[in-house]
Amino acid sequence: MFTVDKKKVILTDCDGVLLDWFVAFEEWMSIRGYNSIAGFDGVYNVNEIFGVPKGVTKPLVKEFNNSAWMLDLSPLGGAIKYVKKLHEEYGYVFHCITSLSDDPKAAKLRMMNLENVFGKGIFTKVECLPCGADKDASLEMYRESECFWIEDKKENADLGIELGLDSILIAHDHNYSYNGQAKRCQDWKEIYNYIIGE
């Protein structure tokens, strides 16, 4: 087990939590002639969103995740303000666990993007896993630490609960029906208030 002071470390996913991956991906796909279809609220799988077989979107997601676009993803609403407040006012640092790519250059772009958006020194660890990879082994390092763990995917939030983390599920249409034990927060303001105990 990784020994960590839960008062100082917040674990986060990246896409859909810190950065708005989907907006950039939708633009990238449109350049290639793929347009999202109407009525995809609540859908998580990109093949359904674009109305194409999974075999088509999977290599496109990998290509996108390894592209220069990873340097320029926009922050999710409120993320900058409240991540900085948690760091500057309460001394938290962030460990990001992201299933982006196992290409080391993509990992570099991810760190550069996070530092460009949030500033240096806030993210002291960024672990990039292969595209779509499970996070079991990465989170196992923090078992029973009670660290806050912020995710947008229901299964990963539940995994955090199983491992003794304080899981927070950031609200999206695709997780609106969640009824597990993780705390579901509407936005970063609510996440901030939950973490500081307000």
Side-chain angles (χ1 to χ4, degrees), residues 79-92 94 122 192 196:
I80 293 175
K81 176 179 179 179
Y82 291 105
V83 165
K84 284 187 172 182
K85 279 173 73 69
L86 287 165
H87 176 68
E88 293 168 3
E89 297 176 11
Y90 292 90
Y92 282 107
F94 290 75
I122 295 176
Y192 172 83
I196 67 170

Side-chain angles (χ1 to χ4, degrees), residues 83-115:
V83 165
K84 284 187 172 182
K85 279 173 73 69
L86 287 165
H87 176 68
E88 293 168 3
E89 297 176 11
Y90 292 90
Y92 282 107
V93 294
F94 290 75
H95 291 183
C96 180
I97 302 169
T98 173
S99 299
L100 175 77
S101 170
D102 54 0
D103 185 323
K105 297 291 185 184
K108 268 184 131 174
L109 292 178
R110 170 121 296 178
M111 178 58 107
M112 289 170 70
N113 191 181
L114 288 170
E115 289 185 340

Side-chain angles (χ1 to χ4, degrees), residues 134-151:
D134 292 334
K135 298 180 178 176
D136 302 57
S138 299
L139 290 178
E140 179 66 37
M141 299 288 291
Y142 301 90
R143 179 184 282 274
E144 305 302 338
S145 66
E146 299 182 353
C147 282
F148 293 107
W149 163 232
I150 309 170
E151 252 285 358

Side-chain angles (χ1 to χ4, degrees), residues 36-135:
S36 56
I37 58 177
F40 63 83
D41 290 352
V43 176
Y44 185 77
N45 296 320
V46 293
N47 57 299
E48 295 178 46
I49 292 170
F50 290 92
V52 295
K54 191 172 185 179
V56 173
T57 53
K58 193 170 182 180
L60 288 168
V61 168
K62 285 185 176 181
E63 183 183 345
F64 175 70
N65 285 357
N66 287 307
S67 75
W69 285 62
M70 291 306 101
L71 186 57
D72 197 33
L73 300 187
S74 299
L76 218 60
I80 293 175
K81 176 179 179 179
Y82 291 105
V83 165
K84 284 187 172 182
K85 279 173 73 69
L86 287 165
H87 176 68
E88 293 168 3
E89 297 176 11
Y90 292 90
Y92 282 107
V93 294
F94 290 75
H95 291 183
C96 180
I97 302 169
T98 173
S99 299
L100 175 77
S101 170
D102 54 0
D103 185 323
K105 297 291 185 184
K108 268 184 131 174
L109 292 178
R110 170 121 296 178
M111 178 58 107
M112 289 170 70
N113 191 181
L114 288 170
E115 289 185 340
N116 288 342
V117 169
F118 296 97
K120 294 189 176 182
I122 295 176
F123 291 89
T124 57
K125 181 178 179 183
V126 175
E127 182 180 1
C128 281
L129 305 171
C131 182
D134 292 334
K135 298 180 178 176

Side-chain angles (χ1 to χ4, degrees), residues 40-44 154 170-178 184:
F40 63 83
D41 290 352
V43 176
Y44 185 77
K154 295 181 284 187
I170 191 166
H172 286 282
D173 290 338
H174 63 78
N175 63 34
Y176 76 96
S177 62
Y178 181 74
R184 188 171 184 267

